[in-house]
Amino acid sequence: MDRSLLSGDEAVALAALHAGVILGTGYPGTPSTEILEAFFELGGKAQWAPNEKVALEVGLGAAFAGGRALVTMKHVGLNVAADPLFTAAYTGVSGALVVVSADDPGMASSQNEQDNRHYAVAAGLPMVEPADAQQAYDYFLHAITISERWGIPVIFRMTTRVCHSKSVVISGRTEIAPPGPTHFEHDLPDRVMIPAYARPAHKRLRAKLAEIAAWGETCELNREIPADATAAGAAYTTLGLVASGVSVLHAAEAAPGARILALGLTYPLPIERVRAFAGSVDRCVVIEEGDPVMTDTFHAAGIDLEGKPETYRFGELNVGRVRRILGHDALEERPVPTGKAPELCSACPYHTVYNTLRKHDCIGAGDIGCYSLGVLPPYQVMDTLVDMGASIPVGLGLRHALPDEQARRVVSIIGDSTFIHSGIPGLVEMIYNPPPTGHVVIVLDNGTTAMTGQQEHPATGRTMEHTRTGHVSIEGVAQALGIPSVTVMDPYEDPDTFERLLIERLAARELSVIVARRPCVLAAADIRRWEQAAAAAANPIQMAPEAAVAAAGAATGGAA
Amino acid sequence: MSAERVPTVVNVVMAGLGGQGVLTASDILADAAMRAGLDVKKAEVHGMSQRGGLVTSDIRFGDRVWSPMVPPGEADYLVLLAPTELEATRAVLKPGGVLIDTGVVAAEDLPNRRSLNVALLGALSVHLSIPEALLLDAMRADLPEKLHPTNEQAFAIGRERALAAR
């Protein structure tokens, strides 16, 4: 047993290592990113996928082979991966597949605060929710066990506070069987979801869920925290709270005299246990962040308990808000004061791009990444931002619908990692359904997934380990698709050329892609170092330092 | 699990701008609390922290810590690295809570301005029951070796200033 101070993300990585996870894959997204990075640091096999759908499918394949697979993403990433998720519920797995969904109630760094507990219900997959890093470690091992025992993918739902809070973790107390060998056996009816096979598969899924529900009534993931008899307020002794995730901890602190039913398996919910618990106290309140998912389920089962006023649907909970819920305080809350907002780094290469877009009164169909900060003053050149990859299709839609004078000023702005994630189908749409005014796509290529902390991606051509691998060329993809005008340039080095190019392409009434390439200032030194190391590894003959630098420059910067 | 649920925890909030070392200082404090055998939790929001915005970190330690977040208006100490962010953060302090800011020790007072985070940790240390030696151990464990001398100096200066001001 080992005692260490870990974040929830690090605790999941450690558990994955101890569980013998054969492959960890995912797409970076706050607050989930550190899981795979920590798994890699610990010596696990971890890799970034181009997007969450691909990651889930790769993980599914590994689990079909009998391996234990970990797939990580932020909450909105599960939307991208929803297609395989729903049918993987039917196919099931031979090994284990645990899908981490890192939700962001309060939107510390996200475009929405969707509550992914709905996905467990909708897809019909068991959901496990830890409250802190210790539980992230222990419950991840349970999730692997559940996945293998019932041959079903498990959603492991974390939230920003669980992912990023650090607490003491004692590892080695939870038992886990060693992983079995990987091997393939033909099993067409289980894994090929043509209608004839999918119909019985749906029934198998429901039968598994019924078994898991029965098991969940007494499983150790759902525990009662006893009331503190020494707590002030004897009236509390007849108060019972039902909670999950970090809300358990807020509830335990807000009402020390209350009994708490802390749920770690939140789908399927232990209905009869909750019914008995609610019946054993005078007042029973559900403490849950986000949507009233548990409350509605308990009410539908005819259990007499309270939910929360509507104002607590928004944002994350804390001890103070739980006290107010218990005090029936449904008043609109005062906004929390905000400090200095984040901004683009002063030496960011995007400044010149945004200056130019603003000067020419462009309509910017934006996307998700650091460059989203272009929405803030002084630029305010991001007119739309919805989801990963939306910039190109939304820009096309605007061009189709707007009068000519406005349509000609529409540009789509997308980063390099986002382009790889889901920008390419937008380019395909652009070729297939071009607007009469043409279109201009600007790929802001800073050579890294900057916003989430400089992760590698297929267009950097380096792995998570920063060693060389296959490289996807952004301009090569655009050219291969048949975009008539593809230009690569450095907007920071040469802002005047960028401006002339933009004016020309906006006037041209044809399809254009401008790759504005300049490494992120925060990552540039690291990128040079990795490229030098990669060049040295690729060429065992000792390179002169100047030659190594030149090779690195040719690989990362400059006009391609 | 202990039935002891009435909190007897020390609540510290650290705040500053991205790049000032708020998260590093809070890691050191949390690490030191763990070395002292205490239960400890630490919460912060990452994500935008590298873009120069306000960064806050909650550190809580004691016999048993439940929520990782300091309840609003219940911080015993607010350690503030950026004076501009006082308005946005002062509400975290409880009545009578202690503000530890650049009025106690400023970047100009230090051999290296970048050690302000550790200097303010030194200033905070005079209020805590965690032994100074454990805080320094944690600092050495969390920072690269070449930074140890300047940070040891910064910690000592912060501690002296805070003791003198008492």
Side-chain angles (χ1 to χ4, degrees):
Chain A
M1 280 195 255
D2 195 27
R3 183 172 181 264
S4 42
L5 190 65
L6 299 179
S7 69
D9 282 350
E10 292 165 338
V12 167
L14 185 64
L17 186 80
H18 290 172
V21 162
I22 197 165
L23 178 66
T25 179
Y27 183 80
T30 309
S32 69
T33 312
E34 295 88 343
I35 299 172
L36 287 186
E37 291 182 325
F39 184 55
F40 170 75
E41 289 295 322
L42 290 167
K45 180 173 169 60
Q47 55 195 36
W48 292 124
N51 65 37
E52 296 86 353
K53 174 182 186 291
V54 172
L56 181 50
E57 290 156 345
V58 169
L60 184 61
F64 281 159
R68 290 175 173 171
L70 161 67
V71 183
T72 69
M73 59 198 67
K74 67 184 295 171
H75 60 340
V76 286
L78 199 53
N79 301 334
V80 178
D83 197 0
L85 184 81
F86 278 67
T87 306
Y90 282 24
T91 62
V93 291
S94 310
L97 177 60
V98 178
V99 180
V100 174
S101 164
D103 291 15
D104 190 14
M107 294 174 276
S109 187
S110 300
Q111 68 268 39
N112 74 23
E113 57 180 336
Q114 68 183 54
D115 187 331
N116 277 7
R117 292 179 297 169
H118 294 293
Y119 268 117
V121 182
L125 289 174
M127 175 170 275
V128 173
E129 290 189 67
D132 60 11
Q134 179 69 63
Q135 287 189 355
Y137 177 84
D138 292 327
Y139 288 11
F140 183 83
L141 299 178
H142 283 291
I144 291 277
T145 304
I146 293 168
S147 182
E148 276 185 354
R149 177 169 168 190
W150 280 283
I152 192 169
V154 173
I155 305 176
F156 196 75
R157 179 178 181 258
M158 304 172 77
T159 57
T160 299
R161 294 297 180 175
V162 179
C163 290
H164 284 170
S165 295
K166 288 190 177 179
S167 54
V168 180
V169 174
I170 298 170
S171 56
R173 289 188 303 196
T174 299
E175 299 271 316
I176 178 123
T182 55
H183 66 287
F184 193 80
E185 284 192 21
H186 298 289
D187 186 357
L188 281 64
D190 264 12
R191 300 203 191 105
V192 181
M193 288 302 107
I194 55 171
Y197 292 158
R199 288 185 197 108
H202 188 192
K203 290 188 175 165
R204 278 200 304 278
L205 169 64
R206 289 292 143 187
K208 286 178 188 177
L209 288 170
E211 272 190 42
I212 296 168
W215 171 81
E217 290 288 347
T218 55
C219 79
E220 59 181 301
L221 292 167
N222 302 326
R223 317 165 298 129
E224 187 173 327
I225 302 174
D228 184 343
T230 67
Y236 273 149
T237 52
T238 54
L239 177 63
L241 307 178
V242 181
S244 69
V246 72
S247 305
V248 168
L249 306 176
H250 302 326
E253 181 164 335
R259 287 167 58 199
I260 296 170
L261 185 56
L263 302 181
L265 181 69
T266 51
Y267 189 78
L269 284 164
I271 297 294
E272 294 315 314
R273 181 158 184 186
V274 172
R275 192 190 309 279
F277 179 79
S280 70
V281 292
D282 290 341
R283 181 186 177 208
C284 186
V285 186
V286 179
I287 303 295
E288 59 183 324
E289 245 169 14
D291 297 337
V293 177
M294 295 199 295
T295 308
D296 288 352
T297 306
F298 298 142
H299 282 166
I303 301 171
D304 184 18
L305 42 63
E306 293 172 36
K308 60 184 180 183
E310 179 68 5
T311 186
Y312 303 100
R313 181 196 291 265
F314 310 101
E316 56 181 356
L317 292 184
N318 56 36
V319 173
R321 295 188 91 197
V322 172
R323 288 195 192 114
R324 286 199 292 279
I325 291 171
L326 296 178
H328 301 285
D329 181 352
L331 293 176
E332 189 76 22
E333 298 163 283
R334 274 178 311 176
V336 181
T338 54
K340 181 173 176 295
E343 55 189 28
L344 287 175
C345 302
S346 57
C348 178
Y350 301 159
H351 284 293
T352 53
V353 172
Y354 285 163
N355 262 327
T356 309
L357 294 177
R358 182 166 172 80
K359 181 172 163 190
H360 294 281
D361 197 20
C362 288
I363 297 168
D367 227 305
I368 293 183
C370 276
Y371 50 101
S372 304
L373 295 170
V375 71
L376 301 173
Y379 301 118
Q380 296 176 296
V381 291
M382 204 64 88
D383 290 287
T384 69
L385 189 160
V386 183
D387 67 296
M388 291 282 287
S391 56
I392 300 174
V394 168
L396 293 170
L398 286 167
R399 287 233 180 199
H400 285 304
L402 285 172
D404 191 87
E405 186 278 322
Q406 286 195 312
R408 285 188 287 107
R409 289 186 283 125
V410 177
V411 295
S412 292
I413 306 154
I414 186 168
D416 46 334
S417 189
T418 310
F419 179 85
I420 294 291
H421 177 282
S422 46
I424 296 169
L427 276 195
V428 174
E429 165 70 9
M430 183 162 106
I431 285 287
Y432 187 56
N433 293 310
T437 57
H439 190 45
V440 176
V441 174
I442 300 173
V443 183
L444 295 170
D445 179 6
N446 62 2
T448 186
T449 316
M451 186 55 129
T452 47
Q454 294 119 39
Q455 286 74 32
E456 301 285 6
H457 59 71
T460 72
R462 290 180 303 271
T463 64
M464 191 180 285
E465 200 177 359
H466 308 301
T467 53
R468 230 171 237 176
T469 181
H471 166 247
V472 175
S473 161
I474 293 170
E475 58 273 26
V477 167
Q479 283 159 350
L481 286 174
I483 309 288
S485 169
V486 180
T487 315
V488 182
M489 57 91 58
D490 181 342
Y492 187 83
E493 200 62 37
D494 200 352
D496 294 340
T497 302
F498 177 76
E499 184 173 7
R500 277 197 303 275
L501 181 65
L502 181 71
I503 293 167
E504 179 205 310
R505 298 326 304 167
L506 285 173
R509 292 179 178 268
E510 62 177 26
L511 302 178
S512 309
V513 171
I514 301 172
V515 182
R517 176 168 294 152
R518 172 95 181 180
C520 164
V521 288
L522 296 176
D526 284 336
I527 292 173
R528 273 196 300 277
R529 193 163 46 79
W530 297 327
E531 280 301 312
Q532 283 168 17
N539 183 2
I541 300 165
Q542 193 68 35
M543 289 176 91
E546 311 82 65
V549 171
T556 57
Chain B
M1 178 160 301
S2 163
E4 201 55 44
R5 296 244 310 265
V6 181
T8 53
V9 300
V10 177
N11 292 314
V12 180
V13 174
M14 292 195 173
L17 299 176
Q20 284 194 302
V22 170
L23 302 185
T24 305
S26 64
D27 274 337
I28 294 170
L29 178 57
D31 188 3
M34 194 184 73
R35 286 162 190 263
L38 299 170
D39 189 21
V40 56
K41 285 189 176 161
K42 167 176 159 2
E44 68 222 4
V45 173
H46 307 185
M48 308 288 267
S49 57
Q50 282 184 314
R51 315 290 169 251
L54 171 64
V55 178
T56 66
S57 181
D58 296 1
I59 309 99
R60 318 186 72 196
F61 47 89
D63 296 336
R64 178 71 166 94
V65 182
W66 291 97
S67 171
M69 292 139 73
V70 174
E74 293 186 20
D76 301 292
Y77 306 99
L78 169 61
V79 180
L80 184 64
L81 281 74
T84 54
E85 302 307 301
L86 181 60
E87 280 315 305
T89 54
R90 70 188 326 155
V92 303
L93 271 181
K94 71 178 186 187
V98 179
L99 173 68
I100 295 165
D101 63 3
T102 49
V104 181
V105 55
E108 300 82 67
D109 305 334
L110 304 172
N112 184 336
R113 302 174 60 91
R114 296 186 54 80
S115 313
L116 178 64
N117 57 345
V118 173
L120 288 172
L121 204 53
L124 172 69
S125 73
V126 307
H127 300 277
L128 304 180
S129 62
I130 299 173
E132 184 186 351
L134 291 184
L135 283 157
L136 287 168
D137 284 350
M139 184 275 286
R140 291 187 201 102
D142 288 5
L143 293 179
E145 199 171 341
K146 62 176 181 186
L147 301 180
H148 292 180
T150 46
N151 281 285
E152 282 162 11
Q153 280 176 287
F155 187 92
I157 293 169
R159 203 173 154 85
E160 272 169 35
R161 296 286 169 96
L163 284 170
R166 277 194 128 179

